[in-house]
Amino acid sequence: MRFTYSYATDIETLRKYKEETENALQTLVKGTGAGNDFLGWLGLPKDIRNQVSGIKMTAERLRKGCEVIVCVGIGGSYLGAKAVIDALQSSFAQLEAKTPQIVYAGNNIGEDYLYELQEMLRHKKFGIICISKSGTTTEPALAFRLLKQQLENQAGKEAARERIVCITDAKRGALRTLATNEGYDTYVIEDNIGGRFSVLSPVGLLPIACAGMDIDALLDGAEKMMDTCTTADFENNPALLYAAARNSLYRKGKKIELLVNFHPKLHYLSEWWKQLYGESEGKENKGIFPASADFTTDLHSMGQYVQEGERLLFETVISVEKPNNKVVVPTDAANLDGLNFLAGKRVDEVNKMAELGTRLAHIDGGVPNLLIEIPQLNEEAIGKLITFFETACGVSGYMLGVNPFNQPGVEAYKKNMFALLHKPGYEKETAAIKERISK
Ligand code: PA5
């Protein structure tokens, strides 16, 4: 992985942040800062290794026994798995005959979505991985209730038990109680690992293994990059340089970071990244707003704003050096589409020129550009990207002066929703919200 900042800033500017980033990194690795009871992710690539063979065995059982595996979870309890699976599997995996298919639920409350999911599963042999650290989150709890009943009705209680795995807190929460009572297989989310930092725990590893990916290689990449990001000196440390560059841009008024890819398979990696940075930094009325775009697709919708709209953006491009497959543009004797100038070129050559052309145009338009280059879309490269972004996020959060490991703001909507739904224990809030909306 290579990080390039020269189209956004220069080394003299970044050196001014050397001490600040190094101090923030020390705060992180020594565990002396706010939220230091949530630093378990720093050790995950190594610490989780003793669970890998068990995870693989569970994955194999589900793979053999299921045509479809439904991953139930929201936020950090599904985004990491979906990001890795989408980046590494075929874009058309859902249309292929290969099983198991991985689908998701509990990440929304759409009635049509749940209806259509249940219809699709009606004649399928399916299994469920239910993931919730708290074990009390409404969206996954609701989806799990529906799917558990459906599975028991379709397959019987015994077979359902074989095909349900729960990943949750060791002791607390409704999901733990339910899993214990029903005798389900479980994995633990350790207390010191928050949802958005949990992709390299069973939360991400089990679904990723179920999709047939090599979780050892993912962890190898993650471990190597974690070593670099926690030990290398400033000028050789991509996480420190990235944290320095983005904070320097933020302090100059660039309040929005647009994470950009030129491969649609990376769409959910951006979604994972948005949660990681948004929930970690967006507090106390501060923080870079993390946004994302898929290019060239979104150049035909968002490109105008990026080029000429308000100048509060900087862009971070994830560039993939080599595609995994080869497609060459054919010659056409009639050349009615005028594309013979591309004949004989690989499609990726066209994509790369679109990428370079876009970066240069946006730089000319006043959008500073950071570049992250990865060699290929494979497990090792994605593992490296994960620990690079996680470490840089912890450092950035401390530079901003916030606790990067809590998310107090997520509770506000839940309180209102529970009050509106008359959840027991919310009687006072129900009365207050009724009064408010009656005016
Ligand atoms: O990062 C976080 O902590 C959150 O996004 C959670 O992952 C999300 O709210 C789901 O919570 P839980 O796993 O407790 O159901």
Side-chain angles (χ1 to χ4, degrees):
M1 201 202 86
R2 202 166 42 234
F3 174 66
T4 306
Y5 51 79
S6 51
Y7 284 112
T9 183
D10 52 52
I11 193 63
E12 285 71 38
T13 307
L14 291 187
R15 279 193 191 121
K16 293 185 191 139
Y17 290 85
K18 178 177 182 308
E19 204 183 327
E20 196 181 339
T21 54
E22 286 176 349
N23 287 343
L25 179 64
Q26 285 315 305
T27 305
L28 189 69
V29 295
K30 290 186 179 148
T32 52
N36 57 1
D37 42 350
F38 281 98
L39 296 178
W41 57 274
L42 279 165
L44 264 183
K46 284 193 183 105
D47 299 343
I48 202 67
R49 301 282 181 156
N50 60 4
Q51 291 191 51
V52 164
S53 66
I55 290 172
K56 283 186 191 165
M57 274 162 60
T58 307
E60 223 19 67
R61 190 185 79 227
L62 291 174
R63 280 170 68 77
K64 283 207 180 99
C66 305
E67 294 167 276
V68 181
I69 297 171
V70 190
C71 290
V72 176
I74 194 164
S77 289
Y78 95 102
L79 280 168
K82 182 150 174 65
V84 176
I85 292 169
D86 280 14
L88 299 178
Q89 76 177 1
S90 160
S91 306
F92 304 99
Q94 307 253 305
L95 296 177
E96 289 172 356
K98 273 190 258 169
T99 61
Q101 300 279 350
I102 311 290
V103 300
Y104 301 85
N107 55 352
N108 65 67
I109 325 177
E111 186 162 340
D112 285 344
Y113 184 92
L114 284 166
Y115 175 86
E116 287 156 13
L117 174 66
Q118 290 197 287
E119 280 302 299
M120 182 275 288
L121 293 171
R122 204 156 296 287
H123 303 291
K124 295 274 191 319
K125 209 173 160 195
F126 76 94
I128 307 169
I129 304 175
C130 186
I131 308 171
S132 175
K133 182 176 178 184
S134 62
T136 56
T137 308
T138 310
E139 292 90 336
L142 182 59
F144 187 49
R145 176 184 280 215
L146 288 164
L147 294 170
K148 172 181 178 295
Q149 284 189 7
Q150 180 173 357
L151 182 54
E152 287 173 353
N153 290 340
Q154 279 178 216
K157 220 165 158 54
E158 270 315 303
R161 189 171 292 123
E162 283 295 298
R163 288 194 237 142
I164 293 177
V165 180
C166 296
I167 308 180
T168 187
D169 185 86
K171 296 193 188 84
R172 289 180 298 261
L175 185 59
R176 169 56 61 185
T177 311
L178 195 155
T180 307
N181 284 0
E182 297 282 11
Y184 296 148
D185 237 9
T186 61
Y187 286 90
V188 170
I189 310 176
E190 300 296 341
D191 279 345
N192 62 359
I193 297 169
R196 62 190 174 275
F197 288 88
S198 68
V199 54
L200 301 176
S201 78
V203 170
L205 294 181
L206 181 62
I208 292 167
C210 284
M213 272 108 217
D214 181 350
I215 56 173
D216 291 305
L218 185 79
L219 290 169
D220 289 345
E223 190 175 334
K224 279 185 211 152
M225 185 54 79
M226 184 61 87
D227 284 345
T228 304
C229 292
T230 51
T231 59
D233 63 82
F234 180 70
E235 289 185 30
N236 294 302
N237 190 323
L240 293 190
L241 291 169
Y242 176 51
R246 60 197 298 282
N247 279 287
S248 135
L249 292 165
Y250 177 60
R251 290 172 200 181
K252 286 182 191 144
K254 300 293 183 189
K255 307 268 186 198
I256 299 175
E257 179 174 6
L258 192 65
L259 188 74
V260 162
N261 66 71
F262 284 78
H263 288 267
K265 289 157 84 103
L266 290 176
H267 176 83
Y268 265 90
L269 194 95
S270 298
E271 298 302 314
W272 168 82
W273 172 88
K274 284 195 283 195
Q275 188 206 359
L276 183 65
Y277 280 79
E279 275 192 0
S280 300
E281 293 191 315
K283 38 198 85 151
E284 300 174 30
N285 300 330
K286 295 192 278 193
I288 297 169
F289 182 82
S292 66
D294 302 325
F295 287 170
T296 61
T297 312
D298 296 337
L299 286 172
H300 297 258
S301 55
M302 295 300 289
Q304 174 61 36
Y305 189 101
V306 178
Q307 191 67 45
E308 295 182 349
E310 200 164 341
R311 301 298 70 193
L312 34 69
L313 292 169
F314 68 96
E315 219 168 39
T316 300
V317 174
I318 300 180
S319 177
V320 182
E321 279 165 41
K322 228 173 92 195
N324 289 329
N325 302 290
K326 188 171 176 180
V327 178
V328 175
V329 182
T331 308
D332 186 291
N335 194 29
L336 293 177
D337 54 12
L339 280 187
N340 270 354
F341 73 104
L342 297 178
K345 289 191 195 302
R346 293 204 33 192
V347 170
D348 192 58
E349 237 180 298
V350 182
N351 201 24
K352 286 285 189 307
M353 292 309 106
E355 183 181 313
L356 183 57
T358 305
R359 289 180 58 228
L360 294 172
H362 290 177
I363 291 158
D364 293 344
V367 181
N369 190 279
L370 301 173
L371 179 67
I372 296 163
E373 288 166 288
I374 62 171
Q376 220 165 348
L377 286 180
N378 59 30
E379 282 85 344
E380 178 167 354
I382 298 293
K384 285 185 177 173
L385 213 45
I386 287 170
T387 42
F388 159 73
F389 276 134
E390 287 179 342
T391 316
C393 182
V395 170
S396 271
Y398 282 143
M399 289 173 76
L400 193 66
V402 299
N403 175 354
F405 305 110
N406 64 3
Q407 54 283 329
V410 180
E411 297 310 310
Y413 98 91
K414 292 184 192 167
K415 197 180 90 192
N416 287 344
M417 179 176 77
F418 292 149
L420 290 164
L421 287 168
H422 299 262
K423 184 170 175 171
Y426 283 76
E427 292 75 12
K428 249 174 61 196
E429 286 83 356
T430 301
I433 208 161
K434 275 190 164 172
E435 166 77 13
R436 179 178 167 189
I437 57 177
S438 70
K439 283 180 188 155

